[in-house]
């Protein structure tokens, strides 16, 4: 009790604050999500995500050089295509942007862990994460067959980890079985296990040109006002054989990260999504906050909640924003 106890003694100097505080996560804990386009020489800035762009493979290789040199642990690839159809079949084409880029990245940066997003929404002409039934609803079980093909094509190209994000029931089990059947038993599976129907994905949809034409994704993504259901999603994915679980978005769901961290022994990744990225940039641009200070506080919050793996666009600016 005061006056004997004075907590300010513990934080009086920078040396003490550093000694007693938890250091920020190192670059090896970070995964940089990137958007890949078919073609060559493409470096298209994403207006809603300043500092990020849609790139062709060789442009990405160039941009990866300083990022890999900063010690970033992984990259998460999202593909784009101009050839969209009802099934999103370009998502499992051997000549797709992701399938072509993976071996190039692995060759140039063998130490970098390559993750690939496994979904259909950037490849379907209707923008949903699975094919539609005659009633216009996403057909869960038909989506599984397609997602299996996507995952196998990524793993066969050399991806270290496939990451299904469609929120279809049974997708983890279906993909694990398909990988094992093809002898791809070493390929990791990171599930977007507790993925919420969030309003924070707006800038990403511009980046991926993947907004659904009609309807929304509330029929398959988890509702943000039902914590138990979101946790069950992760429990089921663990039972189905996921190697890594994920909470997405991160900052508005720190309670979910914390509860998941306590209830599982699997690694827990958190996806610091586009809206969480762009809002800090917008704030800093208006002079309403210091970007470096805000990013550091955001990452520390994710860490305190129990995040093991940080999927974040800030990964490409680690040295500038997060290094001491
Ligand atoms: Zn999707």
């Amino acid at each position: 009790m005061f006056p004997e106890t004075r907590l300010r003694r513990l934080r009086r100097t920078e040396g003490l604050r550093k000694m007693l505080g938890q250091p920020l996560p190192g670059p090896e804990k970070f995964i940089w999500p990137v958007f890949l386009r078919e073609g060559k020489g493409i470096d298209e800035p994403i207006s809603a995500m300043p500092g990020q762009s849609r790139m062709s493979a060789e442009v990405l290789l160039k941009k990866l050089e300083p990022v890999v040199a900063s010690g970033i642990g992984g990259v998460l690839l999202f593909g784009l295509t101009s050839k969209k159809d009802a099934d999103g079949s370009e998502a499992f084409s051997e000549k797709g942007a992701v399938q072509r880029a993976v071996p190039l990245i692995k060759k140039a940066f063998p130490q970098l862990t390559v993750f690939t997003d496994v979904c259909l929404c950037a490849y379907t002409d209707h923008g949903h994460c699975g094919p539609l039934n005659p009633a216009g609803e996403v057909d869960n079980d038909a989506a599984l067959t397609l997602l299996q093909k996507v995952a196998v094509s990524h793993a066969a190209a050399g991806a270290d980890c496939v990451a299904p994000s469609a929120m279809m029931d049974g997708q983890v089990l279906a993909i694990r079985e398909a990988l094992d059947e093809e002898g791809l038993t070493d390929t990791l599976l990171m599930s977007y296990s507790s993925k919420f129907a969030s309003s924070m994905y707006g800038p990403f949809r511009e980046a991926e040109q993947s907004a659904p034409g009609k309807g929304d994704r509330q029929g398959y993504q988890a509702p943000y006002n039902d914590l138990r259901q979101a946790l069950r999603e992760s429990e089921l994915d663990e039972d189905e054989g996921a190697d890594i679980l994920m909470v997405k978005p991160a900052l508005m769901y720190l309670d979910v990260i914390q509860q998941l961290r306590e209830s599982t022994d699997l690694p827990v990744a958190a996806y610091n999504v586009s809206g969480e990225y762009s809002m800090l940039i917008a704030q800093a641009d208006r002079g309403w906050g210091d970007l470096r200070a805000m990013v550091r506080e955001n990452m520390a919050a994710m860490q305190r909640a129990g995040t093991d793996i940080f999927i974040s666009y800030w990964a490409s600016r680690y040295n500038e924003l997060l290094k001491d």
Side-chain angles (χ1 to χ4, degrees):
M1 287 284 277
F2 182 81
E4 294 82 14
T5 306
R6 289 174 180 269
L7 289 186
R8 285 184 57 188
R9 280 199 288 264
L10 286 166
R11 49 184 190 257
R12 197 173 53 84
T13 66
E14 195 186 342
L16 277 167
R17 291 192 294 272
K18 274 196 172 162
M19 185 180 287
L20 298 173
Q22 194 178 10
L24 283 169
E28 68 281 357
K29 299 278 186 189
F30 278 77
I31 298 174
W32 181 31
V34 296
F35 305 99
L36 270 172
R37 277 197 46 181
E38 299 148 331
K40 271 214 158 97
I42 297 164
D43 185 6
E44 216 170 54
I46 301 160
S47 65
M49 301 178 70
Q52 308 294 323
S53 57
R54 287 179 284 258
M55 297 166 271
S56 51
E58 91 290 355
V59 172
L60 172 62
L61 290 181
K62 262 251 137 334
K63 293 205 181 186
L64 271 173
E65 279 172 22
V67 175
V68 173
S70 74
I72 292 301
V75 69
L76 170 60
L77 308 181
F78 289 89
L80 284 143
T81 185
S82 50
K83 295 170 232 153
K84 301 192 184 200
D85 61 24
D87 279 350
S89 52
E90 193 60 21
F92 46 87
S93 159
E94 272 176 31
K95 294 183 179 143
V98 171
Q99 290 84 350
R100 280 177 188 256
V102 168
L104 300 175
I105 298 169
K106 288 305 297 181
K107 186 162 175 241
F109 310 105
Q111 75 277 33
L112 189 71
T113 305
V114 174
F115 297 74
T116 59
D117 180 82
V118 173
C119 200
L120 299 164
C121 47
Y123 298 87
T124 51
D125 49 17
H126 44 74
H128 279 286
C129 302
L132 304 179
N133 65 19
E137 289 172 1
V138 174
D139 183 337
N140 188 90
D141 297 12
L144 298 184
T145 314
L146 300 172
L147 293 168
Q148 285 177 316
K149 291 185 186 179
V150 180
V152 166
S153 74
H154 291 177
D160 297 294
C161 180
V162 293
S165 62
M167 288 298 283
M168 294 297 126
D169 287 327
Q171 64 180 12
V172 169
L173 179 65
I175 288 172
R176 184 73 264 164
E177 282 179 355
L179 292 171
D180 290 354
E181 210 163 287
E182 295 295 323
L184 297 161
T185 52
D186 284 340
T187 307
L188 281 163
L189 198 160
M190 173 170 75
S191 172
Y192 287 66
S193 50
S194 294
K195 179 181 179 184
F196 291 88
S198 171
S199 54
M200 300 305 285
Y201 302 147
F204 176 94
R205 284 181 190 163
E206 189 218 306
E208 270 281 274
Q209 298 157 340
S210 63
K214 229 173 149 186
D216 55 37
R217 299 194 177 119
Q218 293 188 52
Y220 36 108
Q221 296 177 348
Y224 60 73
N225 54 357
D226 190 343
L227 172 64
R228 284 187 300 242
Q229 203 184 121
L231 290 171
R232 280 186 75 196
E233 285 284 0
S234 281
E235 283 164 28
L236 286 171
D237 285 2
E238 179 167 1
D239 291 346
E240 288 182 25
D243 298 295
I244 302 170
L245 299 175
M246 190 206 295
V247 177
K248 179 184 181 183
L251 296 168
M252 292 179 187
Y253 299 89
L254 296 176
D255 57 327
V256 185
I257 297 173
Q258 188 169 22
Q259 294 205 33
L260 195 55
R261 180 61 292 155
E262 283 167 12
S263 64
T264 180
D265 288 323
L266 263 58
V268 174
Y271 197 138
N272 179 213
V273 302
S274 60
E276 298 173 325
Y277 170 84
S278 297
M279 71 181 174
L280 293 197
I281 293 184
Q283 195 174 344
D285 277 354
R286 294 188 172 198
W288 293 345
D290 176 73
L291 186 63
R292 182 174 149 94
M294 291 190 290
V295 170
R296 293 166 78 85
E297 191 175 341
N298 277 203
M299 296 306 106
M302 284 168 63
Q303 184 183 41
R304 279 200 316 276
T307 304
D308 298 303
I309 300 170
F310 297 73
I311 304 169
S312 175
Y313 303 97
W314 302 120
S316 63
R317 296 169 71 179
Y318 188 92
N319 281 351
E320 174 198 349
L321 298 170
L322 288 154
K323 201 171 163 185
D324 275 327

